[in-house]
Amino acid sequence: MIPKIRRGSRTHGLLAYLYGSGKRDEHTDPHLVGSWDGYAPDPGRDTSADTDPKATMTRLAAALDLRVKQAGTAAPAQHVWHCSVRTDPGDPTLTDAEWNTVARRLVHAVNLAPEGDPDGCRWVAVRHADDHIHILATMVRGDLRRPRMNYDFKKAQAECRRIEKEMGLRQLKPGDGTAATNPTSAERFKAERTGRTETPRETLREAVRQALAGTATEAEFFDRLREAGLRVKLRHAPSGDILGYNVALPGDRNRDSEPVWFAGSTLAPDLSLPRIRRRLTDAPADTAPPRPGTSRTDRSGPARTRRDAAGTAERATALLDEGDDEAAAQLVGAGELLDALAQTSPAATRAELRDAARAFERATRSHVRAENADIRALRSAARAIVHAGTALGRGEDGGATAMLLSTLVLLTLAAARWHSAHGHAQQAAASRQAVEHLRAAYRQAAATPLRAMREKAQALPEPERRRHEAAIRAALGEPDTRADNRTGTTERFDALAATLAEAEKAGHYPKALLAEAINHRELESARDTDAVLLWRIRRLADLPANPSSTGKPKTDTNPTKQAPGRPATRTATPAPTRPTTAPHRPAPRR
């Protein structure tokens, strides 16, 4: 049940709309379902032969405005309080008596007409559709004082949550005032008339967020907006300093043929220029030193940037799981990373990733402020992905995208847990919605590389496959339930076994790698533990994301930083070396 509150100054004009046919003849059988005293004239149901409905409407408007006229100049200029209340499409249809109860509870909750107060404000509730009513009240009490209307929207929302529970309606999540502004009815109708699938407000919000992803400077942000094809208008102070910005879609004009401008703050609270400037203080680095064994050219490609982003996302997940307020900044960085990935993703995953980024946008905002958090790593990862360009979704690109998506699923799950712990119901629900879109995108991106890994596993000698499967089961604490575990293997672990075989050929010790991957992060929230381990091991061992890619083991003899599960020194023909102490093995998972 959603209340929507507005203020106005024309009682008769609003009544004319409520009792009219609607802008598209959508109003059917308009009539009163409640009023301040239960005896207000009803222009919709007064069918007396000698009564004109227009005259009845005039009498109703005069009765509602009586206290306003008596108060004279003491009455507020906008004396009309208008609240529409709508049920969910899946809710049962409420009767007129039930809607009367809803209206009375709402005017009581916002202190317009408290129960038992003879001096409460005058109000009526008009129903002209099955799923909603409109409450019209005049904000002057019988004692000619103004009602105390502080926080009326929050009070109406809270009362609707209680009504939903008591009447068995769909229970919506309570908000905290940080959500972006929804499109107005006029904007939705205009989008339908012009053949748009969404309103300009929604299109612009997504375009501005994508332009902001990984941006290092204010000038670059405005350049990206123009490159995206948007109209940009800057607001300057007399000194020449930029105070704000407005954007408009080309071709979107009002009745005077002028562009329809939206300020950043009207698109979303965090898209105002002051908020953007605060985010730009965590400016991402344009360049970073390449990892050992990789060239700068390799690093700049879509595959390498996605692999690096997976590691950054995993570290952000660890910070979110710590649960403190400083982790709130990681949500902003994660949103930028999703926006960057959505605009550079292959066609096969683009729709799901755009939906994931749009859903998670709600999870990036709350009243929790991180004062000392550093999100440069996430913003740098987003910047690298944008600069690397669009991934083709084939070969190494497809595998690296799957690797990153597997990690982002865990990141968004951690965001849902963080928001739930802080009582942010809407943000937690948005995070879980993003998880489902990311999982769908992962299934599309991972299909080809996983198939190649399974084929590679089937080409391994049977004893080697059994050995790797036994190591996997032991690391996960899963017993082998086959009657004879010396023969045969299961297909479930084929892709993971192929990864361990690759790692072993590259000089890693498989059991140590498994232990490192399991202990690296929690796995309880993962729906597919095997897939999480697979991509984590490939990243830790620096294996190609797709086994079809050519990845030769390093043959240098100079010691480098020791990788997980790898001996400290390497020879030209490395062989796996058993460590002097057994690797830590976690307790069996229950």
Side-chain angles (χ1 to χ4, degrees):
M1 181 173 286
I2 303 174
K4 189 173 183 180
I5 297 174
R6 309 174 186 85
R7 304 288 177 95
S9 59
R10 297 177 62 245
T11 305
H12 191 280
L14 179 55
L15 286 173
Y17 166 74
L18 297 180
Y19 279 96
S21 60
K23 295 182 178 180
R24 297 185 298 175
D25 298 324
E26 70 273 17
H27 295 177
T28 59
D29 187 24
H31 60 279
L32 287 184
V33 294
S35 65
W36 73 95
D37 61 358
Y39 298 102
D42 185 357
R45 292 290 174 88
D46 193 345
T47 57
S48 303
D50 58 345
T51 302
D52 181 2
K54 292 184 179 181
T56 304
M57 188 183 302
T58 300
R59 286 195 295 115
L60 178 58
L64 286 166
D65 278 339
L66 176 63
R67 306 303 185 193
V68 178
K69 292 185 180 297
Q70 290 175 341
T73 58
Q78 289 193 316
H79 63 271
V80 176
W81 187 84
H82 175 206
C83 176
S84 59
V85 190
R86 187 179 301 272
T87 55
D88 186 77
D91 286 336
T93 300
L94 301 184
T95 64
D96 283 355
E98 288 172 322
W99 276 121
N100 179 34
T101 300
V102 171
R104 289 187 176 278
R105 290 183 61 169
L106 284 174
V107 294
H108 170 79
V110 301
N111 202 42
L112 273 168
E115 287 292 336
D117 183 357
D119 288 328
C121 297
R122 296 191 170 193
W123 61 273
V124 293
V126 180
R127 181 180 188 178
H128 53 211
D130 288 339
D131 63 347
H132 71 279
I133 61 171
H134 292 261
I135 303 172
L136 186 162
T138 49
M139 293 187 292
V140 177
R141 292 168 44 83
D143 53 14
L144 304 187
R145 293 187 293 116
R146 297 185 186 186
R148 295 182 179 274
M149 298 289 291
N150 297 334
Y151 307 109
D152 56 337
F153 177 75
K154 288 186 177 181
K155 292 175 181 177
Q157 287 277 9
E159 187 64 22
C160 282
R161 301 295 82 79
R162 289 188 283 268
I163 293 172
E164 290 164 355
K165 187 174 182 179
E166 295 173 17
M167 290 190 171
L169 306 176
R170 178 190 173 192
Q171 296 185 39
L172 301 182
K173 309 296 182 184
D176 59 1
T178 61
T181 304
N182 289 323
T184 64
S185 298
E187 290 172 358
R188 289 195 297 268
F189 295 154
K190 181 180 178 181
E192 292 178 12
R193 291 196 309 271
T194 56
R196 296 183 184 273
T197 57
E198 60 184 10
T199 63
R201 180 188 298 272
E202 294 167 306
T203 303
L204 289 169
R205 183 184 301 143
E206 181 179 14
V208 172
R209 290 185 67 87
Q210 290 187 352
L212 185 56
T215 299
T217 65
E218 192 175 312
E220 182 185 2
F221 168 62
F222 293 133
D223 287 342
R224 284 195 188 180
L225 290 177
R226 296 184 182 96
E227 289 170 3
L230 306 184
R231 288 174 170 266
V232 180
K233 180 172 64 175
L234 303 182
R235 300 193 303 275
H236 292 85
S239 63
D241 295 335
I242 298 176
L243 297 177
Y245 72 99
N246 296 70
V247 289
L249 280 181
D252 182 29
R253 297 181 177 275
N254 57 22
R255 66 181 63 185
D256 298 323
S257 298
E258 297 174 344
V260 180
W261 296 100
F262 290 86
S265 58
T266 64
L267 298 176
D270 57 339
L271 295 182
S272 67
L273 188 56
R275 295 281 293 274
I276 288 174
R277 283 171 172 164
R278 285 200 292 270
R279 192 185 302 191
L280 292 179
T281 58
D282 284 321
D286 280 317
T287 59
R291 295 171 56 182
T294 63
S295 67
R296 290 187 178 272
T297 303
D298 292 335
R299 183 176 172 79
S300 64
R304 173 54 64 183
T305 59
R306 281 160 168 73
R307 290 173 62 95
D308 292 345
T312 303
E314 196 157 275
R315 290 188 289 275
T317 305
L319 292 174
L320 281 169
D321 280 338
E322 293 178 1
D324 57 22
D325 288 355
E326 292 301 305
Q330 304 303 316
L331 300 170
V332 177
E336 288 201 28
L337 189 55
L338 277 172
D339 286 324
L341 194 60
Q343 60 184 302
T344 60
S345 60
T349 56
R350 188 172 302 144
E352 291 290 354
L353 285 174
R354 285 187 62 186
D355 289 341
R358 284 189 170 191
F360 195 76
E361 181 260 353
R362 179 67 187 96
T364 61
R365 293 189 303 274
S366 71
H367 288 302
V368 178
R369 292 289 176 262
E371 301 297 336
N372 303 309
D374 185 350
I375 60 170
R376 281 175 292 184
L378 283 169
R379 300 201 70 239
S380 293
R383 182 177 182 82
I385 287 175
V386 170
H387 282 195
T390 303
L392 299 177
R394 300 190 296 268
E396 177 74 356
D397 288 346
T401 298
M403 179 185 292
L404 176 54
L405 291 177
S406 174
T407 309
L408 287 176
V409 168
L410 296 182
L411 174 58
T412 47
L413 283 170
R417 292 193 297 271
W418 186 89
H419 279 302
S420 295
H422 286 74
H424 305 156
Q426 287 187 358
Q427 291 92 329
S431 299
R432 287 189 286 268
Q433 184 181 359
V435 167
E436 296 308 313
H437 290 299
L438 287 171
R439 280 175 170 155
Y442 169 78
R443 288 191 294 269
Q444 295 171 336
T448 298
L450 287 180
R451 183 167 57 249
M453 291 179 202
R454 294 189 185 102
E455 292 173 355
K456 197 166 185 177
Q458 292 167 5
L460 293 173
E462 189 65 21
E464 185 177 357
R465 288 179 67 187
R466 291 201 303 271
R467 176 166 58 84
H468 289 309
E469 181 173 326
I472 296 166
R473 289 185 181 277
L476 294 175
E478 295 186 6
D480 194 341
T481 57
R482 290 169 298 169
D484 183 2
N485 59 15
R486 294 172 297 174
T487 60
T489 57
T490 59
E491 293 184 358
R492 170 189 164 186
F493 297 114
D494 275 357
L496 191 49
T499 294
L500 291 178
E502 283 187 68
E504 190 173 45
K505 289 180 181 178
H508 297 274
Y509 182 52
K511 290 185 178 180
L513 263 180
L514 275 167
E516 173 71 14
I518 290 173
N519 293 334
H520 195 64
R521 287 286 311 120
E522 61 87 23
L523 294 171
E524 297 299 326
S525 59
R527 183 178 294 179
D528 190 347
T529 302
D530 303 338
V532 173
L533 282 177
L534 181 151
W535 296 113
R536 191 173 289 172
I537 287 173
R538 298 194 79 86
R539 188 175 58 79
L540 290 172
D542 203 20
L543 298 175
N546 192 323
S548 61
S549 302
T550 58
K552 297 181 180 179
K554 298 171 186 155
T555 58
D556 59 288
T557 57
N558 297 325
T560 59
K561 183 178 179 181
Q562 184 173 352
R566 177 177 293 187
T569 58
R570 297 283 309 277
T571 62
T573 56
T577 305
R578 189 176 300 273
T580 56
T581 59
H584 170 72
R585 180 172 298 167
R589 298 174 69 244
R590 301 184 185 275

